[in-house]
């Protein structure tokens, strides 16, 4: 066999590409990370913030599998906040506003310390494919690099075109060239491509903002760090501020629709539904008098501010006029204009749940090429693709996280079972089992994979085993330790017919938090008072035990359907009794299990029942089947 230059080649040095390269390195593989500028790894092209609703869950999952995103966000954070704390723990989220420059510097330093990662500056032009399998890449300047697997993580650079008013610039990010040849290569290989759009707001000079007119949004103390391995002393956080558009803003923007490339017909691709431009907001919500604008600092040592909520592609002068009508921005200076960017993507039905493409063996797609948006979604995909590329090189089955195990599993399953026609974004509402997929239990859900694949040091895994044991002991203590009802002051009226109550029953009372019980627990179970982490984990388990048990029954039912795999060579066209739409969709998406088949749009429970009969008949004839663990076997 010809010697290859690298085990894995990663095309693109964004959040997806970095996590791909790092997991390959952790698993002992040599990795080439091909990027335009080695000093801009994981550079935040849009808002320098990590986390938020559902996205923070992915960051915690990446951290639980040894990834770097949480560590970098904690190190570069200038403001830390917890979100949704008035609701249940399933939707509690963390958000960190970062120093844009410091975040990229942290990633660059982190990657440079990994001896098995070689950063190669250049633009990938085409793939080398032999006998249906990828064998390497050729850069646009003619360099040939061979590898056992290739991961495409091109972000918005694939065929990127920037729009500012009627002006168009071929670029993947302002000031950086687009990757133009790779799109043609993918099309020639038979991949279907499409166009999507995203955008960014103008940047403002914070020294010209009247902060007194804006509402202060301070950070939280103590710091809610993302990574379990971060250590950071308290510091003076930089606040964000909230302001609003005015009637004048609406008038200027609305009168300029004909100059916006999104309304003039210049842009015909679809943008993100949940992050609309200011033009979209005033068009779609014409009755709304104003819109929130969050003024978020770009970092330490800079006065530049990101006006979150004012994404636009209007001409530069109109942008300047419009931002000056926002409360507190009457005299603001614009440091650079906002813009829209169109880019190529490949609908994700062309990849397997492992993120390997169906057309070319050993080729993986991650991030915006799959139709997703967001740093966190990209990082989660990158980690999984890198892990599965390593497993394929070792001749092992891929790791496929299901919808009950991780938000990463929810996201990938959504991508491969639905037709993505707009940039995909994660929300907690997308997860059926979100009470089981909390921020606080990401390590519980994924630690066994970290151990199986050697993604974390053994001492870290041992430390978590000890935490799990302490949590179990804390639950037992809270269940068995009783206090006198008369000593509970304001809570005593909840237990009128009882003289004693367990600490666990106290925690189960509606509206009672661990903070409300801290003094009682400290007096009755002092051994728990000093272990806040175990105590907090135990409290959530106790308070939501009934809901968690109910959801576990739903998960067990879900996994039975997931464990019944459909053979890769199964002929859907031969299944009689399926509706025409179902037959076409099944042949197009080629689901890996009966459970996944049922989540494809247009496939009904009746179709799944018919399909089940034919799959069982296929198995009875000696074709591929399943065992109790859901792994494919021969029968």
């Amino acid at each position: 066999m010809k010697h290859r230059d690298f085990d894995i080649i990663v095309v693109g040095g964004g959040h997806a590409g970095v996590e791909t390269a790092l997991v390959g390195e952790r698993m002992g593989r040599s990795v080439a990370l091909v990027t335009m500028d080695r000093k801009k790894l994981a550079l935040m092209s849009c808002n320098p913030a990590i986390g938020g609703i559902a996205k923070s869950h992915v960051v915690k999952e990446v951290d639980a599998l040894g990834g770097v995103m949480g560590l970098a966000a904690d190190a570069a954070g200038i403001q830390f906040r917890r979100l949704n704390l008035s609701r249940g723990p399933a939707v509690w989220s963390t958000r960190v506003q970062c120093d844009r420059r410091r975040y990229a510097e942290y990633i660059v330093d982190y990657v440079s310390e990994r001896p098995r990662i070689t950063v190669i500056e250049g633009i990938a032009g085409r793939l080398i494919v032999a006998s249906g399998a990828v064998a390497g890449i050729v850069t646009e300047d003619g360099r040939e690099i061979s590898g056992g697997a290739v991961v495409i993580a091109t972000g918005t650079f694939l065929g990127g075109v920037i729009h500012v008013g009627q002006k168009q610039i071929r670029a993947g990010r302002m000031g950086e060239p687009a990757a133009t040849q790779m799109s043609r290569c993918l099309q020639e290989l038979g991949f279907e491509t499409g166009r999507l759009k995203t955008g960014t707001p103008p940047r403002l000079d914070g020294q010209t903002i009247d902060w007194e007119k804006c509402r202060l949004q301070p950070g939280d103390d103590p710091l809610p760090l993302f990574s379990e391995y971060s250590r950071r002393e308290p510091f003076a956080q930089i606040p964000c501020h909230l302001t609003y558009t005015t009637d004048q803003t609406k008038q200027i923007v609305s009168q300029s629709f004909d100059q916006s490339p999104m309304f003039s017909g210049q842009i015909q691709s679809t943008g993100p539904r949940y992050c609309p431009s200011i033009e979209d907001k005033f068009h779609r919500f014409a009755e709304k008098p104003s819109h929130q604008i969050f003024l978020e600092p770009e970092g330490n040592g800079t006065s530049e501010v990101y006006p979150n909520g004012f994404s636009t592609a209007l001409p530069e002068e109109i942008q300047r006029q419009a931002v000056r009508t926002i409360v507190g921005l009457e005299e603001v200076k614009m440091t650079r204009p906002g813009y829209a960017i169109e880019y190529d993507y490949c609908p994700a039905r062309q990849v397997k749940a492992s993120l390997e493409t169906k057309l070319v063996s050993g080729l993986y797609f991650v991030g915006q090429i799959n139709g997703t948006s967001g740093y966190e979604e990209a990082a989660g995909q990158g980690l999984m693709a890198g892990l599965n590329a390593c497993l394929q090189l070792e001749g092992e089955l891929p790791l496929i996280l299901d919808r009950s195990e991780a938000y990463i599993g929810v996201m990938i399953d959504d991508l491969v079972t639905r037709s993505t026609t707009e940039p995909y974004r994660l929300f907690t509402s997308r997860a059926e089992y979100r009470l089981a997929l909390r921020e606080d239990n990401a390590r519980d859900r994924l630690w066994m994979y970290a151990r199986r694949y050697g993604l974390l040091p053994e001492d870290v895994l041992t430390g978590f085993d000890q935490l799990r044991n302490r949590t179990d002991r804390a639950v037992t203590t809270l269940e068995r330790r009783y206090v006198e009802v008369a000593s509970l002051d304001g809570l005593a009226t909840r237990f009128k017919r009882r003289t004693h109550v367990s600490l666990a029953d106290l925690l189960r009372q509606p509206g009672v938090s661990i903070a409300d019980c801290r003094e009682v627990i400290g007096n009755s179970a002092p051994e728990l008072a000093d272990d806040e982490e175990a105590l907090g984990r135990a409290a959530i388990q106790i308070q939501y035990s009934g809901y968690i048990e109910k959801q576990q029954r739903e998960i067990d039912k879900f996994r039975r359907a997931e464990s019944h795999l459909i053979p890769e060579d199964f002929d859907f066209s031969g299944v009689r009794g399926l509706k025409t739409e179902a037959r076409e969709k099944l042949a197009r998406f080629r689901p890996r299990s009966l459970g996944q088949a049922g989540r494809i749009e247009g496939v009904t429970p009746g179709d799944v029942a018919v399909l089940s009969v034919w799959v069982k008949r296929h198995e009875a004839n000696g074709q591929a089947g399943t065992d109790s663990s859901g792994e494919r076997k021969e029968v």
Side-chain angles (χ1 to χ4, degrees):
M1 182 179 70
K2 179 186 175 183
H3 172 74
R4 61 191 179 210
D5 299 322
F6 298 94
D7 294 321
I8 299 171
I9 301 170
V10 183
V11 177
H15 301 274
V18 163
E19 296 293 356
T20 301
L22 288 171
V23 73
E25 199 273 344
R26 290 199 301 280
M27 295 183 71
R29 293 291 177 173
S30 61
V31 181
L33 180 55
V34 182
T35 185
M36 294 181 186
D37 188 340
R38 65 175 64 246
K39 294 180 180 179
K40 292 182 178 180
L41 299 182
L43 182 68
M44 295 174 167
S45 303
C46 202
N47 189 7
I50 296 294
I53 307 303
K55 292 170 174 284
S56 67
H57 293 65
V58 173
V59 181
K60 294 275 190 175
E61 291 168 0
V62 167
D63 188 65
L65 294 170
V68 73
M69 175 170 271
L71 285 167
D74 291 342
I78 58 177
Q79 189 198 62
F80 295 74
R81 296 185 67 193
R82 297 300 308 283
L83 310 177
N84 273 350
L85 295 185
S86 62
R87 303 172 65 187
V91 295
W92 292 349
S93 301
T94 303
R95 186 180 187 274
V96 177
Q97 189 74 18
C98 296
D99 181 314
R100 179 194 304 276
R101 183 181 303 170
R102 173 65 183 130
Y103 187 97
E105 288 173 349
Y106 184 96
I107 295 292
V108 169
D109 291 343
Y110 195 92
V111 170
S112 66
E113 293 170 357
R114 273 57 198 171
R116 286 186 289 268
I117 298 179
T118 301
V119 179
I120 299 173
E121 290 188 328
I123 302 175
R126 60 184 177 87
L127 298 167
I128 303 171
V129 178
S131 302
V134 74
I137 69 166
V138 179
T139 63
E140 288 193 355
D141 59 9
R143 287 172 289 168
E144 186 173 314
I145 306 169
S146 62
V150 174
V151 181
I152 303 293
T154 44
T156 60
F157 284 78
L158 199 64
V161 176
I162 283 176
H163 301 262
V164 182
Q166 304 307 307
K167 183 168 61 176
Q168 298 182 50
I169 307 165
R170 287 202 168 274
R173 185 164 52 206
M174 187 63 80
E176 298 179 60
T180 57
Q181 296 181 20
M182 183 59 75
S183 289
R184 291 195 296 272
C185 173
L186 292 173
Q187 292 164 0
E188 289 168 1
L189 287 170
F191 287 99
E192 176 189 344
T193 63
R195 297 284 279 175
L196 291 176
K197 177 195 79 71
T198 189
T200 191
R203 304 307 195 269
L204 311 176
D205 182 353
Q207 294 179 327
T208 61
I209 294 174
D210 187 346
W211 296 107
E212 294 297 322
K213 292 183 179 180
C214 307
R215 187 187 303 173
L216 182 71
Q217 290 193 309
D220 290 345
D221 187 30
L223 300 178
L225 298 175
F226 271 123
S227 177
E228 303 296 338
Y229 321 111
S230 292
R231 299 292 179 269
R232 189 161 180 189
E233 296 297 320
F235 67 100
Q237 299 185 56
I238 301 178
C240 296
H241 289 77
L242 174 64
T243 186
Y244 294 87
T245 63
T246 64
D247 288 338
Q248 285 180 289
T249 320
K250 181 178 181 179
Q251 182 178 2
I252 290 174
V253 172
S254 298
Q255 290 177 350
S256 305
F257 282 161
D258 62 335
Q259 298 184 64
S260 169
M262 287 172 285
F263 288 87
S264 67
Q266 182 174 309
I267 293 177
Q268 297 186 351
S269 55
T270 306
R273 178 193 304 256
Y274 304 103
C275 189
S277 66
I278 195 67
E279 298 98 296
D280 264 346
K281 288 180 181 179
F282 284 126
H283 176 72
R284 289 162 51 189
F285 310 106
E287 73 289 349
K288 195 169 182 178
S290 66
H291 294 277
Q292 293 182 331
I293 304 296
F294 294 91
L295 302 176
E296 298 172 339
E298 295 255 318
N300 292 302
T302 177
S303 63
E304 202 163 51
V305 171
Y306 181 99
N308 193 347
F310 202 87
S311 175
T312 182
L314 286 166
E316 186 171 344
E317 182 54 36
I318 294 175
Q319 292 185 38
R320 185 174 289 107
Q321 294 172 20
V323 294
R324 286 193 161 200
T325 64
I326 296 171
V327 176
L329 307 186
E330 293 84 358
E331 302 296 327
V332 76
K333 291 183 180 179
M334 199 169 75
T335 58
R336 47 181 166 152
Y339 60 84
I341 182 167
E342 285 187 293
Y343 55 93
D344 291 336
Y345 84 111
C346 295
R349 60 176 174 272
Q350 299 171 99
V351 300
K352 305 173 185 177
S354 64
L355 297 178
E356 182 185 23
T357 66
K358 296 174 181 177
L359 276 177
V360 179
S361 175
L363 177 65
Y364 296 77
F365 289 166
V366 295
Q368 284 169 296
I369 193 172
N370 281 335
T372 60
S373 66
Y375 311 138
E376 302 83 358
E377 288 91 339
Q381 292 172 68
L383 190 148
M384 294 308 299
L387 172 59
N388 286 329
C390 291
L391 293 176
Q392 188 202 50
L393 292 173
E394 295 165 10
E396 297 185 19
L397 290 168
L399 171 62
I400 297 173
L401 299 175
D402 68 41
R403 301 182 72 89
S404 69
E405 289 182 298
Y407 271 86
I408 293 175
V410 172
M411 168 181 61
I412 294 175
D413 186 72
D414 282 350
L415 292 174
V416 301
T417 58
R418 290 171 170 82
S419 297
T420 303
T421 56
E422 62 186 42
Y424 175 94
R425 178 179 176 179
L426 265 174
F427 291 99
T428 51
S429 58
R430 294 189 186 275
E432 306 92 323
Y433 312 112
R434 54 186 172 272
L435 187 54
L437 305 181
R438 307 184 306 275
E439 261 196 355
D440 67 276
N441 70 350
R443 285 185 295 170
D444 297 85
R445 293 183 272 116
L446 300 174
W447 72 277
M448 75 289 288
Y449 299 124
R451 169 162 281 155
R452 180 186 302 173
Y453 300 116
L455 303 181
L456 289 170
E458 188 57 38
D459 63 323
V460 171
L461 295 168
T462 300
F464 182 59
D465 287 336
Q466 294 169 353
L467 174 61
R468 287 165 59 89
N469 291 335
R470 298 201 314 271
T471 303
D472 291 341
R473 289 196 297 271
V475 170
T476 300
T477 299
L478 292 169
E479 293 283 7
R480 295 180 178 177
R481 199 69 54 88
Y482 283 74
V483 296
E484 292 185 0
V485 171
S487 69
L488 296 178
D489 297 328
L491 296 174
T493 56
R494 300 188 182 218
F495 306 98
K496 293 181 179 179
R497 293 186 176 87
R498 301 172 65 177
T499 59
H500 291 78
V501 63
S502 73
L503 294 173
D505 282 342
L506 185 58
L507 284 168
R508 290 189 182 103
Q509 294 301 302
V512 175
S513 70
I514 189 71
D516 299 325
C517 305
R518 194 169 299 281
E519 183 177 351
V520 176
I521 292 173
N523 293 334
S524 306
E527 68 273 28
L528 299 182
D530 294 333
D531 194 348
E532 291 196 9
E533 187 173 14
L535 180 58
R537 287 162 50 88
I540 290 176
Q541 289 185 28
I542 288 169
Q543 289 172 318
Y544 296 92
S545 59
Y547 299 102
I548 292 171
E549 290 170 4
K550 178 182 178 182
Q551 189 146 101
Q552 187 57 52
R553 291 193 291 271
E554 296 170 353
I555 289 172
D556 292 341
K557 181 179 178 181
F558 159 79
R559 284 182 173 166
R560 285 194 292 273
E562 292 300 295
S563 68
H564 203 142
L565 300 183
I566 300 172
E568 290 187 2
D569 61 348
F570 187 82
D571 182 11
F572 293 101
S573 65
V575 180
R576 294 191 299 274
L578 288 177
K579 301 193 313 296
T580 300
E581 180 185 8
R583 185 180 291 108
E584 292 174 352
K585 288 287 183 69
L586 289 168
R588 192 179 194 186
F589 286 91
R590 302 207 62 82
R592 68 184 297 269
S593 69
L594 292 177
Q596 194 177 78
R599 293 190 294 277
I600 295 174
E601 185 180 12
V603 178
T604 67
D607 294 322
V608 175
V610 170
L611 179 61
S612 174
V613 172
W614 282 78
V615 169
K616 290 175 182 177
R617 184 180 301 173
H618 190 82
E619 294 168 356
N621 290 333
Q623 305 294 329
T626 64
D627 62 15
S628 59
S629 67
E631 301 287 7
R632 192 175 301 278
K633 67 173 185 178
E634 295 302 316
V635 296

